[in-house]
Amino acid sequence: MGKLDKYDNNLLSKLGKVEFWVNGKRSLGSASILKSVNAPIIATAAHCVYDWESKQFYEHIRFLPYSEGFKVAFKPVLASIPKEWAKNGVVDYDTGFLVLEPEASNVINFEEKGIPVAFNMSRNLEYVISGFQNVLLPSKKPLFSRGVACADSFKHSSLQGVRSKGKSGMSGGPWFTEIEGRYVQNSNSSLSMKSVKNTLWGPYWGETIEAAYQVASGELSGDSTVLVHKY
């Protein structure tokens, strides 16, 4: 896409990466800093937090904020994901929330840099999506794409798709949409399909993903649809 407008430039401070280790191998996904009433929270893809095949959370996982040049990393103290992802690997629920260690708030101003979240919104909205690719080498600059979301008429899931050339590493990257002159986050990148070129797919943020966020933020003490892990 072309030059970012003034709103998009403000989105840069919301971005980051998650680093997690799978069978001794380092993997990187994308993430975002969220506004929350209680805790320093980030959003990413559930598959960057939990290994569906082994039914285990990744214990060695860190968040690296873009605003700090990826030079600092913070541990999570808690993870919250939809049980449908954990039990059955349902990509419709591929979102995870991490509560970071308190020290993160000493470096990251979550009130200033956190993006408001929104759930149960209309479909087919226009989105700005972002993330960090891992093509040859992990990118230090984010890729931004803009487009109107389309329904999944290929696998008939509840996922939505936005045109983007983004590839490996974009998983967990935020989807921003504008409401009354301000951006909110309303999804995250989950996957691409070989049968559909240049499109990234993200889960619809409905009641289940909202519950996972509310458990992470402390607004809910627990929910039957949400799996919680303490580090």
Side-chain angles (χ1 to χ4, degrees):
M1 61 185 290
K3 288 185 178 181
L4 301 176
D5 61 31
K6 61 179 181 180
Y7 294 110
D8 298 338
N9 283 322
N10 292 335
L11 298 178
L12 291 171
S13 65
K14 323 295 186 191
L15 306 178
K17 295 183 180 183
V18 282
E19 174 189 75
F20 55 104
W21 294 78
V22 185
N23 298 323
K25 184 179 179 181
R26 179 176 181 252
S27 295
L28 288 166
S30 299
S32 56
I33 299 167
L34 306 182
K35 278 196 186 304
S36 167
V37 293
N38 293 317
I41 294 178
I42 67 160
T44 186
H47 74 258
C48 296
V49 176
Y50 183 92
D51 184 352
W52 176 72
E53 291 185 349
S54 68
K55 302 291 191 244
Q56 291 181 325
F57 283 87
Y58 298 122
E59 292 295 333
H60 190 159
I61 183 169
R62 302 289 185 270
F63 172 69
L64 295 77
Y66 172 72
S67 61
E68 301 298 320
F70 307 121
K71 293 179 181 178
V72 295
F74 299 105
K75 301 175 184 177
V77 296
L78 182 142
S80 176
I81 63 172
K83 281 185 179 177
E84 275 298 302
W85 166 258
K87 287 185 175 181
N88 303 309
V90 180
V91 291
D92 306 60
Y93 301 101
D94 190 11
T95 297
F97 300 100
L98 295 174
V99 180
L100 300 182
E101 58 187 330
E103 289 80 359
S105 296
N106 296 332
V107 176
I108 304 169
N109 184 332
F110 279 80
E111 184 60 35
E112 175 188 324
K113 295 180 179 178
I115 186 80
V117 291
F119 303 93
N120 306 300
M121 295 181 68
S122 301
R123 291 178 174 272
N124 309 117
L125 298 174
E126 182 177 13
Y127 286 98
V128 173
I129 65 178
S130 183
F132 298 91
Q133 298 191 93
N134 296 326
V135 180
L136 297 180
L137 292 172
S139 176
K140 292 184 178 180
K141 292 185 178 181
L143 173 72
F144 279 91
S145 304
R146 185 194 300 273
V148 175
C150 65
D152 175 14
S153 59
F154 307 94
K155 296 189 177 181
H156 306 289
S157 70
S158 63
L159 296 174
Q160 299 184 95
V162 170
R163 298 282 292 175
S164 174
K165 293 184 179 180
K167 300 185 186 302
S168 173
M170 295 291 287
S171 290
W175 288 30
F176 303 116
T177 191
E178 197 173 345
I179 304 175
E180 298 177 352
R182 67 165 190 162
Y183 277 112
V184 298
Q185 182 168 347
N186 184 229
S187 187
N188 61 274
S189 295
S190 172
L191 53 85
S192 58
M193 302 180 192
K194 290 183 179 179
S195 56
V196 191
K197 291 185 177 180
N198 297 330
T199 300
L200 285 174
W201 299 88
Y204 174 75
W205 277 18
E207 292 180 358
T208 299
I209 292 176
E210 180 179 21
Y213 168 78
Q214 290 176 331
V215 169
S217 69
E219 296 171 53
L220 287 177
S221 59
D223 189 277
S224 62
T225 66
V226 177
L227 183 64
V228 174
H229 178 69
K230 293 182 179 180
Y231 295 89

